[in-house]
Amino acid sequence: MKRLNLRRVFITTAFAVASIASAQVTDKFKVCLDAGHGAHDFGATYHGFVEKQINLEIVLKLGKILEQDPTIDVVYTRKTDTFIELVERANIANRANANIFLSVHCNANKNTEAYGSETYVMGLSKSASSLEVAKKENAVITLEDNYKKTYAGYNPNAPESLISATLAQEEYLDQSIELASRIQDNFEDRVNRKNRGVHQAPFMVLHKAFMPRVLVETGFISNYAEGSYLNSEEGQTNMAKSIADAIFRMKAEHFGGVVPVLDIKKSEKPAPKDSTVKPKQNVVPIKEVPKATPVKQDTKTVNNSRIIYKIQLKASNSKIDLLPSNFNGLDKLSTTFEGGYYKYLYGETNDYDSSRVLLSQAKAKGYDSAFIVPFKDGVKISLNEAVKSSK
């Protein structure tokens, strides 16, 4: 995934956690679920599998799981086989003041051996494959009445034309990446799907939603084995539970609450042959960062009586030695054990702006899904609470 240039300052983050604050005002955490396509817009169709139907079934199952938590309100863009314009899907989430917007889709490729799950956040990408996925999903606007007027200035064949909206909404990017990463980790670890990673791409359905938002490509229905799984009751239930678990965990970390135990059954992956032509990625090289060179950090003594910010690099059910060689050269490492996972942390500082620098360093070392975690008196707290306490 494209490495991010992090230039935001403290006040920007106050806006980034606005969705968190709204949850505390209403005592409800609102999740807007979007089942991609609908009605005359079938989405991808292969082997008798119809994307719009699979999307809806997963969303309805996901919503039913989330609704069992009385502190969560679920809003749907559609609950039946209806056609909703892309901009209206985002508007539904905005009107509801949702804390999270999640759009569910299925992937497809002319190469029917391609398989695996991937999750997208709003952003620009030089990856031809990511742009192609966005182009395919955005093409649905041509099925809408007066789409040229509604989406004036947007060219469906050039999704990168959403650049201005992307830059304007950058404050939601970190939380979007966090949610996307949790979903992908669950797909791989809990459901045994191939993890195709977290990517950025300019999706029309995401760019109008003003909150953390992701688009989930649950798998390739063009692959008969994976399509059969996604079309099955078991497959849809397990994918829904995996997404729900990610939402529950993100809510618990940032807003409080409990994480219910969900029975998720692992499946057999499709045949491990995937000859999808992978376009060459335009990766910005890390200049002059030899492995033996330690990353410069703030050498000020940390005051343990104040809020301490650390950077979560990764979570794993395996214990890893806290050596720079195991973490791409990063030092000043620590770990916590929570919810059955070891969480590996980098650096520590009392200053929020300095934590943004640490985050940038972690991402430059390849930890694209890293995020800031605040602690108070040795106990992890929400970013929203930390920001409020620092005012």
Side-chain angles (χ1 to χ4, degrees), residues 162-245:
L162 292 177
I163 182 170
S164 60
T166 300
L167 295 176
Q169 297 172 21
E170 192 179 80
E171 66 264 27
Y172 302 108
L173 187 57
D174 287 346
Q175 290 178 326
S176 299
I177 292 173
E178 179 186 346
L179 177 59
S181 300
R182 289 177 183 274
I183 291 170
Q184 284 302 124
D185 288 345
N186 276 356
F187 284 161
E188 181 176 23
D189 299 334
R190 306 288 296 275
V191 199
N192 204 29
R193 312 314 295 171
K194 177 182 177 182
N195 187 349
R196 297 176 70 96
V198 175
H199 309 279
Q200 287 182 277
F203 286 93
M204 176 63 73
V205 73
L206 297 182
H207 102 283
K208 288 286 187 178
F210 296 95
M211 69 231 18
R213 65 257 195 244
V214 300
L215 185 146
V216 182
E217 295 281 4
T218 55
F220 286 78
I221 60 174
S222 50
N223 180 301
Y224 183 78
E226 187 155 74
S228 297
Y229 179 75
L230 294 174
N231 199 50
S232 69
E233 183 75 14
E234 178 183 335
Q236 292 167 3
T237 298
N238 287 332
M239 297 302 277
K241 286 181 177 179
S242 297
I243 298 172
D245 180 81

Coordinates of all heavy atoms in Angstrom, one line a residue, residues 162-245:
L162 N -10.7 12.3 -8.4 CA -11.2 12.5 -7.0 C -10.2 13.1 -6.1 O -10.4 13.1 -4.9 CB -11.8 11.3 -6.4 CG -13.1 10.7 -7.1 CD1 -13.5 9.4 -6.4 CD2 -14.2 11.7 -7.0
I163 N -9.1 13.6 -6.6 CA -7.9 14.0 -5.8 C -8.3 15.0 -4.8 O -7.9 15.0 -3.6 CB -6.8 14.5 -6.7 CG1 -5.6 14.9 -5.8 CG2 -7.2 15.6 -7.5 CD1 -4.3 15.1 -6.6
S164 N -9.1 16.0 -5.1 CA -9.4 17.1 -4.2 C -10.2 16.6 -3.0 O -9.9 17.0 -1.9 CB -10.2 18.2 -4.9 OG -11.4 17.7 -5.4
A165 N -11.1 15.7 -3.2 CA -11.9 15.2 -2.1 C -11.0 14.3 -1.2 O -11.2 14.3 0.0 CB -13.1 14.3 -2.7
T166 N -10.1 13.6 -1.9 CA -9.2 12.7 -1.1 C -8.4 13.6 -0.1 O -8.3 13.2 1.1 CB -8.3 12.0 -2.0 OG1 -9.1 11.2 -2.9 CG2 -7.3 11.1 -1.3
L167 N -7.8 14.7 -0.6 CA -7.0 15.5 0.3 C -7.8 16.1 1.4 O -7.3 16.3 2.5 CB -6.2 16.5 -0.6 CG -5.3 16.0 -1.6 CD1 -4.7 17.2 -2.4 CD2 -4.1 15.2 -0.9
A168 N -9.0 16.5 1.1 CA -9.9 17.2 2.0 C -10.3 16.3 3.2 O -10.6 16.7 4.3 CB -11.1 17.8 1.3
Q169 N -10.3 15.0 3.0 CA -10.8 14.0 4.0 C -9.7 13.2 4.6 O -9.9 12.1 5.1 CB -11.9 13.1 3.3 CG -13.1 13.9 2.9 CD -14.0 13.1 2.1 OE1 -14.0 11.8 2.2 NE2 -14.9 13.7 1.3
E170 N -8.4 13.7 4.5 CA -7.3 12.9 4.9 C -7.4 12.6 6.4 O -6.8 11.6 6.9 CB -6.0 13.6 4.6 CG -4.8 12.7 4.7 CD -3.5 13.5 4.3 OE1 -3.0 14.3 5.2 OE2 -3.0 13.3 3.2
E171 N -8.1 13.4 7.2 CA -8.1 13.2 8.6 C -8.7 11.9 9.0 O -8.5 11.5 10.2 CB -8.8 14.4 9.3 CG -10.3 14.5 9.0 CD -10.6 15.5 7.9 OE1 -9.7 15.7 7.0 OE2 -11.7 16.0 7.9
Y172 N -9.5 11.3 8.2 CA -10.1 10.0 8.6 C -9.3 8.8 8.2 O -9.7 7.7 8.4 CB -11.5 9.9 7.9 CG -12.5 11.0 8.3 CD1 -12.8 12.0 7.4 CD2 -13.0 11.1 9.6 CE1 -13.6 13.0 7.7 CE2 -13.8 12.1 9.9 CZ -14.2 13.1 9.0 OH -15.0 14.1 9.3
L173 N -8.1 9.1 7.6 CA -7.4 8.0 6.9 C -6.8 7.0 8.0 O -6.9 5.8 7.8 CB -6.3 8.5 6.1 CG -5.5 7.5 5.2 CD1 -6.4 6.8 4.3 CD2 -4.4 8.3 4.4
D174 N -6.3 7.5 9.1 CA -5.7 6.5 10.0 C -6.7 5.5 10.6 O -6.4 4.3 10.7 CB -5.0 7.3 11.2 CG -3.8 8.1 10.7 OD1 -3.3 7.7 9.6 OD2 -3.3 8.9 11.5
Q175 N -7.8 6.0 11.0 CA -8.8 5.1 11.5 C -9.4 4.2 10.5 O -9.7 3.0 10.8 CB -10.0 5.9 12.2 CG -9.6 6.6 13.5 CD -10.7 7.4 14.1 OE1 -11.5 8.0 13.4 NE2 -10.7 7.4 15.4
S176 N -9.5 4.6 9.2 CA -9.9 3.8 8.1 C -8.9 2.6 7.9 O -9.3 1.5 7.7 CB -10.1 4.6 6.8 OG -11.0 5.6 7.0
I177 N -7.6 3.0 8.0 CA -6.6 2.0 7.8 C -6.6 1.0 8.9 O -6.5 -0.2 8.7 CB -5.2 2.6 7.7 CG1 -5.1 3.4 6.4 CG2 -4.1 1.6 7.8 CD1 -3.8 4.2 6.3
E178 N -6.8 1.5 10.2 CA -6.9 0.6 11.3 C -8.0 -0.4 11.2 O -7.8 -1.6 11.4 CB -7.1 1.4 12.6 CG -7.2 0.6 13.8 CD -7.6 1.3 15.1 OE1 -7.5 2.6 15.0 OE2 -8.0 0.7 16.1
L179 N -9.2 0.0 10.8 CA -10.4 -0.9 10.6 C -10.1 -1.8 9.5 O -10.3 -3.1 9.6 CB -11.6 -0.1 10.3 CG -12.9 -0.9 10.0 CD1 -13.2 -1.8 11.2 CD2 -14.1 0.0 9.7
A180 N -9.6 -1.3 8.3 CA -9.3 -2.2 7.2 C -8.3 -3.3 7.6 O -8.4 -4.5 7.2 CB -8.7 -1.4 6.0
S181 N -7.3 -2.9 8.3 CA -6.2 -3.9 8.8 C -6.8 -5.0 9.7 O -6.5 -6.1 9.6 CB -5.1 -3.2 9.5 OG -4.5 -2.2 8.6
R182 N -7.7 -4.6 10.6 CA -8.3 -5.5 11.5 C -9.2 -6.5 10.7 O -9.2 -7.7 10.9 CB -9.2 -4.8 12.5 CG -8.4 -4.0 13.5 CD -9.4 -3.3 14.4 NE -8.7 -2.4 15.4 CZ -8.2 -2.9 16.6 NH1 -8.4 -4.1 16.9 NH2 -7.6 -2.0 17.4
I183 N -9.9 -6.0 9.7 CA -10.7 -6.9 8.8 C -9.9 -7.9 8.1 O -10.1 -9.1 8.1 CB -11.6 -6.1 7.9 CG1 -12.6 -5.3 8.6 CG2 -12.2 -6.9 6.8 CD1 -13.4 -4.2 7.8
Q184 N -8.8 -7.4 7.5 CA -7.9 -8.3 6.7 C -7.2 -9.3 7.6 O -7.1 -10.5 7.2 CB -6.9 -7.4 6.0 CG -7.4 -6.7 4.7 CD -8.0 -7.7 3.7 OE1 -9.2 -7.6 3.3 NE2 -7.2 -8.7 3.3
D185 N -6.8 -8.9 8.8 CA -6.2 -9.9 9.7 C -7.1 -11.0 10.1 O -6.8 -12.1 10.1 CB -5.7 -9.1 11.0 CG -4.5 -8.3 10.7 OD1 -3.8 -8.4 9.7 OD2 -4.2 -7.4 11.6
N186 N -8.4 -10.6 10.3 CA -9.4 -11.6 10.6 C -9.7 -12.6 9.5 O -9.8 -13.8 9.6 CB -10.7 -10.9 11.1 CG -10.7 -10.6 12.5 OD1 -9.8 -10.9 13.2 ND2 -11.8 -9.9 13.0
F187 N -9.7 -12.0 8.2 CA -10.0 -12.9 7.1 C -8.9 -13.9 7.0 O -9.1 -15.1 6.7 CB -10.0 -12.0 5.8 CG -11.3 -11.3 5.6 CD1 -11.3 -10.2 4.7 CD2 -12.4 -11.6 6.2 CE1 -12.5 -9.5 4.5 CE2 -13.6 -10.9 6.0 CZ -13.6 -9.8 5.1
E188 N -7.6 -13.5 7.3 CA -6.5 -14.4 7.1 C -6.4 -15.4 8.3 O -6.3 -16.6 8.1 CB -5.2 -13.6 7.0 CG -4.0 -14.5 6.9 CD -2.7 -13.7 6.7 OE1 -2.7 -12.5 7.0 OE2 -1.7 -14.3 6.1
D189 N -6.5 -14.8 9.5 CA -6.3 -15.6 10.7 C -7.5 -16.4 11.2 O -7.4 -17.5 11.7 CB -5.8 -14.7 11.9 CG -4.5 -14.0 11.6 OD1 -3.7 -14.5 10.8 OD2 -4.3 -12.9 12.2
R190 N -8.7 -15.8 11.0 CA -9.9 -16.5 11.5 C -10.6 -17.3 10.5 O -11.3 -18.3 10.8 CB -10.8 -15.4 12.1 CG -10.2 -14.5 13.1 CD -9.9 -15.1 14.5 NE -11.1 -15.5 15.1 CZ -11.9 -14.8 15.9 NH1 -11.6 -13.5 16.1 NH2 -13.0 -15.3 16.5
V191 N -10.6 -16.9 9.2 CA -11.3 -17.6 8.2 C -10.4 -18.3 7.2 O -10.9 -19.0 6.3 CB -12.3 -16.6 7.5 CG1 -13.4 -17.3 6.7 CG2 -12.9 -15.6 8.4
N192 N -9.1 -18.1 7.3 CA -8.2 -18.8 6.4 C -8.3 -18.4 5.0 O -8.0 -19.1 4.1 CB -8.4 -20.3 6.5 CG -7.1 -21.0 6.2 OD1 -6.0 -20.5 6.3 ND2 -7.2 -22.2 5.6
R193 N -8.7 -17.1 4.7 CA -8.7 -16.6 3.3 C -7.3 -16.0 3.0 O -6.5 -15.7 3.8 CB -9.7 -15.5 3.2 CG -11.1 -15.8 3.7 CD -11.6 -17.2 3.4 NE -11.8 -17.4 1.9 CZ -12.1 -18.5 1.4 NH1 -12.1 -19.6 2.1 NH2 -12.3 -18.6 0.1
K194 N -7.1 -15.9 1.7 CA -5.8 -15.3 1.3 C -5.9 -13.8 1.5 O -6.9 -13.2 1.1 CB -5.6 -15.6 -0.2 CG -4.3 -14.9 -0.8 CD -4.1 -15.1 -2.2 CE -2.9 -14.3 -2.7 NZ -2.7 -14.5 -4.2
N195 N -4.9 -13.2 2.1 CA -4.9 -11.8 2.5 C -4.2 -11.1 1.4 O -3.0 -11.1 1.2 CB -4.2 -11.6 3.8 CG -4.2 -10.2 4.3 OD1 -4.7 -9.3 3.6 ND2 -3.8 -10.0 5.6
R196 N -5.0 -10.3 0.6 CA -4.4 -9.5 -0.5 C -4.1 -8.1 0.0 O -3.6 -7.3 -0.8 CB -5.4 -9.5 -1.7 CG -5.6 -10.8 -2.3 CD -6.7 -10.8 -3.4 NE -6.2 -10.1 -4.6 CZ -5.6 -10.7 -5.6 NH1 -5.5 -12.0 -5.6 NH2 -5.2 -10.0 -6.7
G197 N -4.3 -7.8 1.3 CA -3.8 -6.6 1.9 C -4.8 -5.4 1.9 O -5.9 -5.5 1.5
V198 N -4.3 -4.3 2.5 CA -5.1 -3.1 2.5 C -4.5 -2.1 1.5 O -3.3 -2.0 1.4 CB -4.9 -2.5 4.0 CG1 -5.6 -1.1 4.0 CG2 -5.5 -3.4 5.0
H199 N -5.4 -1.5 0.7 CA -4.9 -0.6 -0.4 C -5.7 0.7 -0.3 O -6.7 0.8 0.3 CB -5.2 -1.3 -1.7 CG -4.6 -2.7 -1.8 ND1 -3.3 -3.0 -2.1 CD2 -5.2 -3.9 -1.6 CE1 -3.1 -4.3 -2.1 NE2 -4.3 -4.9 -1.8
Q200 N -5.1 1.7 -1.0 CA -5.8 2.9 -1.2 C -6.3 3.0 -2.7 O -5.5 2.6 -3.6 CB -4.9 4.1 -0.9 CG -4.6 4.3 0.6 CD -3.7 5.5 0.7 OE1 -2.5 5.4 0.6 NE2 -4.3 6.7 1.0
A201 N -7.5 3.5 -2.9 CA -8.0 3.8 -4.2 C -9.1 4.8 -4.1 O -9.8 4.9 -3.1 CB -8.4 2.5 -4.9
P202 N -9.3 5.6 -5.2 CA -10.4 6.6 -5.2 C -11.7 6.1 -5.5 O -12.2 6.1 -6.7 CB -9.9 7.6 -6.2 CG -9.1 6.7 -7.2 CD -8.5 5.6 -6.4
F203 N -12.5 5.5 -4.5 CA -13.8 5.0 -4.7 C -14.8 6.1 -4.5 O -14.8 6.8 -3.5 CB -14.1 3.9 -3.8 CG -13.4 2.6 -4.1 CD1 -12.2 2.3 -3.5 CD2 -14.0 1.7 -5.0 CE1 -11.5 1.1 -3.8 CE2 -13.3 0.5 -5.3 CZ -12.1 0.2 -4.7
M204 N -15.7 6.3 -5.5 CA -16.8 7.3 -5.4 C -17.7 7.1 -4.1 O -18.0 8.0 -3.5 CB -17.6 7.3 -6.6 CG -18.8 8.2 -6.6 SD -18.3 9.9 -6.5 CE -17.7 10.2 -8.2
V205 N -18.0 5.8 -3.8 CA -18.9 5.5 -2.7 C -18.2 5.9 -1.4 O -18.9 6.2 -0.4 CB -19.3 4.1 -2.7 CG1 -18.1 3.2 -2.2 CG2 -20.5 3.9 -1.8
L206 N -16.9 6.0 -1.3 CA -16.2 6.4 -0.1 C -16.0 7.9 0.0 O -16.0 8.4 1.2 CB -14.9 5.6 0.0 CG -14.9 4.1 0.1 CD1 -13.5 3.6 0.2 CD2 -15.8 3.6 1.3
H207 N -15.7 8.5 -1.1 CA -15.2 9.9 -1.0 C -16.2 10.9 -0.4 O -15.8 12.0 0.1 CB -14.6 10.3 -2.3 CG -15.5 11.3 -3.1 ND1 -16.6 10.8 -3.8 CD2 -15.4 12.6 -3.3 CE1 -17.1 11.9 -4.4 NE2 -16.4 12.9 -4.1
K208 N -17.5 10.6 -0.5 CA -18.5 11.5 0.0 C -18.9 11.2 1.5 O -19.7 12.0 2.1 CB -19.8 11.4 -0.8 CG -19.6 12.0 -2.2 CD -19.6 13.6 -2.2 CE -19.7 14.2 -3.6 NZ -19.7 15.6 -3.5
A209 N -18.4 10.2 2.0 CA -18.7 9.8 3.4 C -17.7 10.5 4.4 O -16.5 10.2 4.2 CB -18.7 8.3 3.6
F210 N -18.1 11.2 5.3 CA -17.3 12.0 6.2 C -17.1 11.3 7.6 O -17.6 11.7 8.6 CB -17.8 13.4 6.4 CG -17.8 14.2 5.1 CD1 -18.9 14.2 4.3 CD2 -16.6 14.8 4.6 CE1 -18.9 14.9 3.1 CE2 -16.6 15.4 3.4 CZ -17.7 15.5 2.6
M211 N -16.4 10.2 7.5 CA -16.1 9.4 8.7 C -15.1 8.3 8.3 O -14.8 8.2 7.1 CB -17.4 8.7 9.2 CG -17.9 7.7 8.2 SD -19.6 7.7 7.7 CE -20.3 9.3 8.0
P212 N -14.5 7.6 9.2 CA -13.7 6.4 8.8 C -14.5 5.5 8.0 O -15.7 5.1 8.3 CB -13.4 5.8 10.2 CG -13.4 6.9 11.2 CD -14.6 7.8 10.7
R213 N -14.0 5.1 6.8 CA -14.8 4.3 5.9 C -13.9 3.3 5.1 O -12.7 3.7 4.8 CB -15.6 5.1 5.0 CG -14.8 6.0 4.0 CD -14.7 7.4 4.5 NE -14.3 8.4 3.5 CZ -13.2 9.1 3.6 NH1 -12.4 8.9 4.6 NH2 -12.8 9.9 2.6
V214 N -14.4 2.2 4.8 CA -13.7 1.2 4.1 C -14.6 0.5 3.1 O -15.8 0.5 3.2 CB -13.1 0.1 5.0 CG1 -12.1 0.7 6.0 CG2 -14.1 -0.7 5.7
L215 N -14.0 -0.1 2.0 CA -14.7 -0.9 1.1 C -14.1 -2.3 1.1 O -12.8 -2.4 0.9 CB -14.7 -0.3 -0.3 CG -15.5 -1.0 -1.4 CD1 -16.1 0.0 -2.4 CD2 -14.6 -2.0 -2.2
V216 N -14.8 -3.3 1.4 CA -14.3 -4.7 1.5 C -14.6 -5.5 0.3 O -15.8 -5.6 -0.1 CB -14.9 -5.4 2.7 CG1 -14.3 -6.8 2.9 CG2 -14.7 -4.5 4.0
E217 N -13.6 -6.0 -0.4 CA -13.8 -7.0 -1.5 C -13.6 -8.3 -0.8 O -12.5 -8.8 -0.6 CB -12.7 -6.7 -2.6 CG -12.9 -5.4 -3.3 CD -14.0 -5.4 -4.3 OE1 -14.7 -6.4 -4.5 OE2 -14.2 -4.4 -5.1
T218 N -14.7 -9.0 -0.6 CA -14.6 -10.2 0.2 C -14.0 -11.4 -0.5 O -13.5 -12.3 0.2 CB -16.1 -10.7 0.6 OG1 -16.9 -10.8 -0.6 CG2 -16.7 -9.7 1.6
G219 N -13.9 -11.4 -1.8 CA -13.2 -12.5 -2.5 C -13.7 -12.4 -4.0 O -14.5 -11.6 -4.4
F220 N -13.1 -13.3 -4.7 CA -13.4 -13.4 -6.2 C -14.4 -14.4 -6.5 O -14.2 -15.6 -6.4 CB -12.1 -13.7 -6.9 CG -11.1 -12.6 -7.0 CD1 -10.3 -12.3 -5.9 CD2 -10.9 -11.8 -8.1 CE1 -9.3 -11.3 -5.9 CE2 -10.0 -10.8 -8.2 CZ -9.2 -10.6 -7.1
I221 N -15.6 -13.9 -7.0 CA -16.6 -14.9 -7.4 C -16.3 -15.4 -8.8 O -17.0 -16.4 -9.2 CB -18.0 -14.3 -7.3 CG1 -18.2 -13.1 -8.2 CG2 -18.4 -13.9 -5.9 CD1 -19.6 -12.5 -8.3
S222 N -15.3 -14.9 -9.4 CA -14.9 -15.4 -10.7 C -14.1 -16.7 -10.5 O -13.9 -17.5 -11.4 CB -14.0 -14.4 -11.5 OG -13.0 -13.8 -10.6
N223 N -13.6 -16.9 -9.3 CA -12.9 -18.2 -8.9 C -14.0 -19.1 -8.4 O -14.7 -18.8 -7.4 CB -11.9 -17.9 -7.8 CG -11.2 -19.1 -7.3 OD1 -11.8 -20.1 -6.9 ND2 -9.8 -19.1 -7.5
Y224 N -14.2 -20.2 -9.0 CA -15.4 -21.0 -8.7 C -15.4 -21.5 -7.2 O -16.4 -21.5 -6.6 CB -15.5 -22.3 -9.6 CG -16.7 -23.1 -9.4 CD1 -17.9 -22.7 -9.8 CD2 -16.6 -24.3 -8.6 CE1 -19.1 -23.5 -9.6 CE2 -17.7 -25.0 -8.3 CZ -19.0 -24.6 -8.8 OH -20.1 -25.4 -8.5
A225 N -14.2 -21.9 -6.7 CA -14.1 -22.4 -5.4 C -14.4 -21.3 -4.4 O -15.2 -21.4 -3.4 CB -12.8 -23.0 -5.1
E226 N -13.8 -20.1 -4.6 CA -14.1 -19.0 -3.7 C -15.5 -18.4 -3.8 O -16.2 -18.1 -2.8 CB -13.1 -17.8 -3.9 CG -13.1 -16.7 -2.9 CD -11.8 -16.0 -2.7 OE1 -11.5 -15.2 -3.6 OE2 -11.1 -16.2 -1.7
G227 N -16.0 -18.4 -5.1 CA -17.4 -18.0 -5.3 C -18.4 -18.9 -4.6 O -19.3 -18.4 -4.0
S228 N -18.1 -20.2 -4.6 CA -19.0 -21.2 -4.0 C -19.0 -20.9 -2.5 O -20.1 -21.0 -1.8 CB -18.5 -22.6 -4.3 OG -18.6 -22.9 -5.6
Y229 N -17.8 -20.6 -1.9 CA -17.7 -20.3 -0.5 C -18.5 -19.0 -0.1 O -19.3 -19.0 0.8 CB -16.3 -20.1 -0.1 CG -16.1 -19.8 1.4 CD1 -16.2 -20.8 2.4 CD2 -15.8 -18.5 1.8 CE1 -16.1 -20.5 3.7 CE2 -15.6 -18.2 3.1 CZ -15.7 -19.2 4.1 OH -15.6 -18.9 5.4
L230 N -18.3 -18.0 -0.9 CA -19.0 -16.7 -0.6 C -20.5 -16.8 -0.9 O -21.3 -16.1 -0.3 CB -18.4 -15.6 -1.5 CG -17.0 -15.2 -1.2 CD1 -16.5 -14.2 -2.2 CD2 -16.9 -14.7 0.3
N231 N -20.9 -17.7 -1.7 CA -22.3 -17.9 -2.0 C -23.1 -18.8 -1.0 O -24.3 -19.0 -1.1 CB -22.5 -18.5 -3.4 CG -23.9 -18.3 -4.0 OD1 -24.4 -17.2 -4.0 ND2 -24.5 -19.3 -4.5
S232 N -22.3 -19.4 -0.1 CA -22.8 -20.4 0.8 C -23.2 -19.7 2.1 O -22.7 -18.7 2.5 CB -21.8 -21.5 1.1 OG -20.7 -21.0 1.9
E233 N -24.1 -20.4 2.8 CA -24.5 -19.8 4.1 C -23.3 -19.8 5.1 O -23.2 -18.8 5.8 CB -25.6 -20.7 4.7 CG -26.2 -20.3 6.0 CD -27.1 -19.1 5.9 OE1 -27.6 -18.8 4.8 OE2 -27.4 -18.4 6.9
E234 N -22.5 -20.8 5.1 CA -21.4 -20.8 6.0 C -20.4 -19.8 5.7 O -19.9 -19.1 6.6 CB -20.7 -22.2 6.0 CG -19.4 -22.3 6.8 CD -18.7 -23.6 6.7 OE1 -19.4 -24.6 6.4 OE2 -17.5 -23.7 7.0
G235 N -20.1 -19.6 4.4 CA -19.1 -18.6 4.0 C -19.6 -17.2 4.3 O -18.8 -16.4 4.8
Q236 N -20.8 -16.9 4.0 CA -21.4 -15.5 4.3 C -21.4 -15.3 5.8 O -21.0 -14.2 6.2 CB -22.8 -15.4 3.7 CG -22.8 -15.4 2.2 CD -24.2 -15.6 1.7 OE1 -25.2 -15.7 2.4 NE2 -24.3 -15.8 0.3
T237 N -21.7 -16.3 6.6 CA -21.8 -16.1 8.1 C -20.4 -15.9 8.6 O -20.2 -15.0 9.5 CB -22.4 -17.3 8.7 OG1 -23.7 -17.5 8.3 CG2 -22.4 -17.2 10.2
N238 N -19.4 -16.6 8.1 CA -18.0 -16.5 8.7 C -17.4 -15.2 8.2 O -16.7 -14.5 9.0 CB -17.2 -17.7 8.2 CG -17.5 -18.9 8.9 OD1 -17.9 -18.9 10.1 ND2 -17.3 -20.1 8.3
M239 N -17.7 -14.7 7.0 CA -17.2 -13.4 6.6 C -17.8 -12.3 7.4 O -17.2 -11.3 7.8 CB -17.4 -13.2 5.1 CG -16.7 -14.2 4.2 SD -14.9 -14.3 4.4 CE -14.5 -12.9 3.3
A240 N -19.1 -12.4 7.6 CA -19.8 -11.4 8.4 C -19.3 -11.4 9.9 O -19.1 -10.3 10.4 CB -21.3 -11.7 8.4
K241 N -19.0 -12.5 10.5 CA -18.5 -12.6 11.8 C -17.1 -12.0 11.9 O -16.7 -11.3 12.9 CB -18.5 -14.0 12.3 CG -19.8 -14.6 12.7 CD -19.7 -16.0 13.2 CE -21.1 -16.6 13.6 NZ -21.0 -18.0 14.1
S242 N -16.3 -12.2 10.8 CA -14.9 -11.7 10.8 C -15.0 -10.2 10.8 O -14.2 -9.5 11.5 CB -14.2 -12.2 9.6 OG -14.0 -13.6 9.7
I243 N -15.8 -9.6 10.0 CA -16.0 -8.2 9.9 C -16.5 -7.6 11.2 O -16.0 -6.6 11.7 CB -16.9 -7.7 8.7 CG1 -16.3 -8.2 7.4 CG2 -17.1 -6.2 8.7 CD1 -17.2 -8.0 6.2
A244 N -17.5 -8.3 11.8 CA -18.1 -7.9 13.0 C -17.1 -7.8 14.1 O -17.0 -6.9 14.9 CB -19.3 -8.8 13.4
D245 N -16.2 -8.9 14.2 CA -15.2 -8.9 15.2 C -14.3 -7.7 15.1 O -13.9 -7.1 16.1 CB -14.4 -10.2 15.1 CG -13.3 -10.3 16.2 OD1 -13.6 -10.7 17.3 OD2 -12.2 -10.0 15.8

